[in-house]
Amino acid sequence: MKRDLLGLAELGRDGIVAILDLARELAPHATEGRRKRVDLAGRTVANLFFEASTRTRISFGLAARRLGADVIDYTASAGSTQKGETLVDTARNIEAMGVDVVVCRHAYAGAPHLLARRLRASVVNAGDGAHEHPTQGLLDAYTVREALGRVEGVRIALIGDIIHSRVARSALRVFRALGGHVTLIGPPTLVPRTFEKLGAAVSWDLDEVLPEQDVVVALRIQHERQDAGLIPSVREFARLYGIDARRLERMKPSCAIMHPGPVMRGVEVTSDVADSPRSLVLRQTTNGVAVRMAVLKWVLGPEGQGRG
Ligand code: CP
């Protein structure tokens, strides 16, 4: 049986902990090209990105290379999907050149699941529509564990455009699975009460709940996935839900600031907050390499045989 990573729900607590522990083991090799490993020597990882990406795409490429794998990068804007080839045909043709893992980012929720059914290669979801971004959730949990020593019992606020955010859905799943207390914060149009059914608290008043939090994760407004009119204006959103120096003062002195990137400075966080010593934004990016090394090893590990 091949192994895919499509979402965090199917991974469960034990799977999440196994990947985070493996990432910790691999971390010394993640950021030092000189300490390359050979775990995936002879294997090939294909990055199929149909949406823009900086962090996820580059860190999957680095993760694969630092484990000794070959890497193929498919850029949708320069590939034959532009001529009308389907996603599945594109992926099967790339697989036919000898690929063990397909990493897929797509605007449509379920696109990686479709590929997982049609390919012999393992498929890793690198973000599908507003559905899931499992490796982001894992690296967020890794970063909280690294900074605070645990996730269990930690109060974590996810702030912003929750309804359109795959990062929020994966973060909620991973933090809940590890025993964190999650509060979702934003305007009612972007944070409906239905999220309570997933085990999160919902608040529309940032200033009321901010002083209790141990970690705040600010999220970008996903303009590409939302209709106009859900917020009065970006300036109004920033006034009510942006983290600035004034709000930083009201937070616990130990409260960490996180953001998956890309950061819209002056909207979700001001520059002084994004660059403050309490910001873990660049730690998240660094940790993404080790976590993605762990994910690639996990899908191709003893139980995951790739194309065999
Ligand atoms: N956090 C994240 O997914 O960033 P990219 O879109 O740059 O990959």
Side-chain angles (χ1 to χ4, degrees), residues 52-56 105 133 136 260-261:
S53 170
T54 297
R55 284 146 286 267
T56 312
R105 169 171 288 191
H133 192 347
Q136 181 70 45

Side-chain angles (χ1 to χ4, degrees), residues 25-37:
E25 247 176 79
L26 294 169
H29 305 270
T31 46
E32 283 190 47
R34 281 172 298 143
R35 297 183 67 183
K36 229 168 165 173
R37 295 174 57 119

Side-chain angles (χ1 to χ4, degrees), residues 5-266:
L5 179 61
L6 303 175
L8 293 178
E10 66 254 32
L11 203 52
R13 187 184 185 283
D14 290 350
I16 289 168
V17 170
I19 290 177
L20 297 184
D21 288 348
L22 182 55
R24 192 161 45 196
E25 247 176 79
L26 294 169
H29 305 270
T31 46
E32 283 190 47
R34 281 172 298 143
R35 297 183 67 183
K36 229 168 165 173
R37 295 174 57 119
V38 291
D39 311 53
L40 301 191
R43 301 288 200 161
T44 302
V45 175
N47 272 332
L48 270 60
F49 276 61
F50 293 85
E51 272 193 329
S53 170
T54 297
R55 284 146 286 267
T56 312
R57 182 192 184 113
I58 291 173
S59 62
F60 265 114
L62 276 177
R65 287 187 184 94
R66 286 180 179 161
L67 288 170
D70 294 323
V71 180
I72 295 168
D73 268 310
Y74 174 80
T75 309
S77 60
S80 288
T81 45
Q82 290 294 319
K83 302 176 197 162
E85 188 171 47
T86 67
L87 167 66
V88 170
D89 279 338
T90 296
R92 290 187 70 201
N93 276 273
I94 291 171
E95 181 185 47
M97 294 182 230
V99 164
D100 302 282
V101 184
V102 168
V103 177
C104 175
R105 169 171 288 191
H106 206 286
Y108 288 99
H113 304 66
L114 173 64
L115 292 188
R117 287 194 295 275
R118 298 297 304 275
L119 299 180
R120 287 161 61 211
S122 291
V123 176
V124 178
N125 182 357
D128 62 327
H131 177 230
E132 273 237 40
H133 192 347
T135 57
Q136 181 70 45
L138 289 167
L139 77 87
D140 289 344
Y142 184 97
T143 304
V144 170
R145 253 184 25 163
E146 178 186 63
L148 279 73
R150 68 190 200 290
V151 174
E152 184 147 21
V154 173
R155 295 192 169 277
I156 302 153
L158 307 179
I159 305 168
D161 183 2
I162 305 298
I163 197 165
H164 300 103
S165 174
R166 55 195 177 207
V167 172
R169 282 177 181 75
S170 290
L172 175 55
R173 289 204 165 97
V174 76
F175 289 138
R176 289 275 301 144
L178 298 177
H181 303 292
V182 178
T183 303
L184 305 176
I185 305 165
T189 45
L190 300 181
V191 191
R193 286 235 174 267
T194 47
F195 277 102
E196 287 171 345
K197 290 186 191 146
L198 299 177
V202 166
S203 172
W204 301 325
D205 185 344
L206 174 61
D207 292 313
E208 185 180 63
V209 293
L210 201 53
E212 306 156 9
Q213 306 304 320
D214 301 306
V215 176
V216 300
V217 183
L219 297 170
R220 182 175 69 86
I221 302 171
Q222 308 268 307
H223 293 289
E224 69 274 34
R225 268 185 263 285
Q226 70 168 256
D227 300 325
L230 290 178
I231 52 170
S233 68
V234 169
R235 183 183 291 189
E236 186 68 358
F237 174 88
R239 189 178 70 77
L240 291 172
Y241 297 105
I243 308 289
D244 56 12
R246 186 180 53 94
R247 288 198 165 109
L248 200 65
E249 283 291 305
R250 292 202 216 123
M251 290 157 57
K252 287 184 188 174
S254 58
C255 182
I257 317 284
M258 292 173 53
H259 193 304
V263 173
M264 298 297 115
R265 290 170 180 263

